[in-house]
Amino acid sequence: MPTSPNLPDSADQRPEAQTPPPQDPRQPPAYPTGPAQPPAPPAYPDPGPLAPPPAYPRPPAQHVTPPAQPAIPPRPATPAPLHAHHISTDQRRVHLKAHQRHADATALGSLLIHLPHFLSSLVVVGLVSLLVLGGLAFVGILAWLLSGLLVFHRPTEKTLARRLLGLRHPTPEEFSRLAPVWQEVTARAGVDAQNYELWIEENDTDLNAVAAAGHIVGVTTFALHRLPNGELAAVLAHELGHHVGGHAWASLLGYWYALPARLAYRLIRFLAVVTLRVAAVFSSLGFLVIALFLGIFAFATLTTLYGLPLLILAAPYALAAVGRRAELRADQHAAALGFAPMLASVLHQMHEADQAARHQAALAARAAGTRLPEESAMAKLLATHPDHHTRLHHLQPWLQPRHPR
């Protein structure tokens, strides 16, 4: 069959590929676009209503504490004003003196006044040792002489503090208040604070302190709890002055070596009084004979001991005068350490307390219809402490303001 020139070839039924028209290079290339709508998902059979999910136990409800608001800091309180006599007790470097104690003129004077007592006691100890030990009397005398070293023996001092002075160890609270003040006092004096022991006297009515033996410093509970630390330091500095000057150990050593003579004197006086009373009961003649015998014995004792018993009779007045001088020296020691105003305040308080006590005694005497006796001149001579005005007078050089040159 003749082919038509307008029909495609029968061997190739596909339309003839056409070449696309050339694209303008200035235009972006054309990308094929997908179908406008996505194909519909395949249809599945309806499974029916869904079963509810299994019920699981719910945890218990917990109380959630809301976050705490930041605390508003309290307004700083105004610190209480410090006492006028408050001192700082902050620790600082301490320069210790090479010679921390000595024996001043007051201590040496006390030992000198006790010398007649010592010699009389030596005679008494010698006689007793001769009667008891016979040929070994020197052993008793030597033991008595060495016994004076017990004044500086720490266990003996503790026994003395407890038994004779009625002191006790401070509680932790008392020590926490007392120790810093004592450290400040000893630091100013250049003294090792560990060389001394602090003791307490249970006394809530008297402002007092004591220095005894070689290492004892005691203070009353009244002074500890009622005084500001500056005035407490002044009291402790005064007692330290007794130790530094040698007053405490010299007084105790003299008393110890005078004890045999004092006991012998009291025994002789007791026997003399009893003998005279017994003789007076029987007859006046016997009384005169005994009195004459005692007079001869006293005269022989005076001549044998070169008048030492007469010096013993005058010794209490001399010792009282030395004691008053020792108090003034201890005041000066405290004032030199910077505690003069504090010490003056303490002296004023002690003076006011004495005046109040005397006023109460006068009122009691007036209510009883009697009159309070005035202090005699003999009592003033036997006083171991100077009067209030004398002590303040000796503190004036440290109380007057110093003008710069």
Side-chain angles (χ1 to χ4, degrees):
M1 170 181 289
T3 59
S4 175
N6 295 326
L7 296 176
D9 191 1
S10 57
D12 188 2
Q13 297 297 325
R14 297 174 301 177
E16 186 175 353
Q18 296 181 1
T19 304
Q23 186 176 1
D24 189 358
R26 291 174 300 177
Q27 297 292 330
Y31 295 97
T33 59
Q37 296 294 333
Y44 294 97
D46 187 7
L50 298 178
Y56 296 98
R58 301 180 62 185
Q62 296 182 357
H63 178 71
V64 180
T65 304
Q69 296 294 331
I72 300 177
R75 180 177 298 178
T78 304
L82 298 177
H83 194 276
H85 290 159
H86 179 82
I87 62 173
S88 174
T89 57
D90 296 336
Q91 295 184 359
R92 52 192 172 91
R93 295 184 63 182
V94 179
H95 174 71
L96 299 180
K97 295 181 179 179
H99 302 284
Q100 299 187 9
R101 65 169 65 192
H102 60 279
D104 60 15
T106 305
L108 296 177
S110 176
L111 293 176
L112 184 61
I113 295 172
H114 277 104
L115 182 59
H117 293 83
F118 170 77
L119 296 177
S120 300
S121 296
L122 183 60
V123 172
V124 173
V125 171
L127 293 176
V128 173
S129 300
L130 186 62
L131 293 175
V132 176
L133 300 177
L136 299 177
F138 70 94
V139 176
I141 297 175
L142 183 61
W144 174 72
L145 292 175
L146 294 177
S147 66
L149 298 177
L150 294 176
V151 171
F152 306 99
H153 187 231
R154 292 298 183 96
T156 305
E157 287 185 353
K158 293 180 179 180
T159 303
L160 173 69
R162 290 192 185 96
R163 303 300 180 184
L164 296 183
L165 302 179
L167 304 179
R168 61 169 175 82
H169 287 293
T171 63
E173 293 78 10
E174 293 170 339
F175 187 79
S176 63
R177 170 170 169 75
L178 192 59
V181 181
W182 177 245
Q183 290 284 349
E184 176 64 22
V185 171
T186 54
R188 295 191 184 188
V191 173
D192 188 1
Q194 303 299 324
N195 287 339
Y196 300 92
E197 292 189 11
L198 300 175
W199 294 76
I200 299 296
E201 179 184 351
E202 197 69 36
N203 190 334
D204 294 330
T205 58
D206 294 335
L207 197 167
N208 199 8
V210 62
H215 311 90
I216 295 176
V217 176
V219 64
T220 60
T221 52
F222 180 93
L224 179 63
H225 298 300
R226 303 291 183 86
L227 296 180
N229 67 345
E231 296 179 4
L232 179 60
V235 173
L236 294 176
H238 174 92
E239 302 306 328
L240 180 62
H242 284 309
H243 279 297
V244 171
H247 310 156
W249 67 262
S251 177
L252 183 58
L253 192 65
Y255 175 82
W256 174 255
Y257 281 128
L259 191 58
R262 294 176 185 272
L263 295 177
Y265 171 74
R266 292 181 181 180
L267 178 61
I268 293 174
R269 186 179 64 176
F270 173 76
L271 293 177
V273 171
V274 171
T275 303
L276 290 176
R277 288 182 179 180
V278 171
V281 171
F282 289 97
S283 65
S284 57
L285 181 61
F287 175 81
L288 293 176
V289 171
I290 296 299
L292 181 61
F293 173 77
L294 292 177
I296 295 173
F297 175 79
F299 179 77
T301 302
L302 291 175
T303 55
T304 303
L305 299 178
Y306 302 99
L308 289 179
L310 293 179
L311 295 178
I312 292 176
L313 295 178
Y317 303 97
L319 288 175
V322 170
R324 292 192 294 270
R325 184 60 185 172
E327 294 298 326
L328 294 177
R329 283 184 173 270
D331 287 347
Q332 294 172 3
H333 178 268
L337 297 181
F339 299 113
M342 298 80 164
L343 184 59
S345 176
V346 171
L347 294 179
H348 280 301
Q349 296 179 49
M350 296 175 65
H351 180 64
E352 292 176 356
D354 291 340
Q355 292 296 321
R358 186 171 180 81
H359 180 68
Q360 292 294 333
L363 292 179
R366 184 181 303 174
T370 60
R371 186 177 181 180
L372 188 67
E374 296 291 336
E375 187 179 10
S376 63
M378 195 67 65
K380 293 180 180 180
L381 291 176
L382 291 174
T384 58
H385 286 66
D387 61 90
H388 172 68
H389 302 287
T390 301
R391 298 182 74 171
L392 286 181
H393 173 73
H394 283 80
L395 285 179
Q396 286 305 314
W398 288 273
L399 294 176
Q400 294 176 354
R402 298 182 180 180
H403 300 284
R405 296 180 179 179

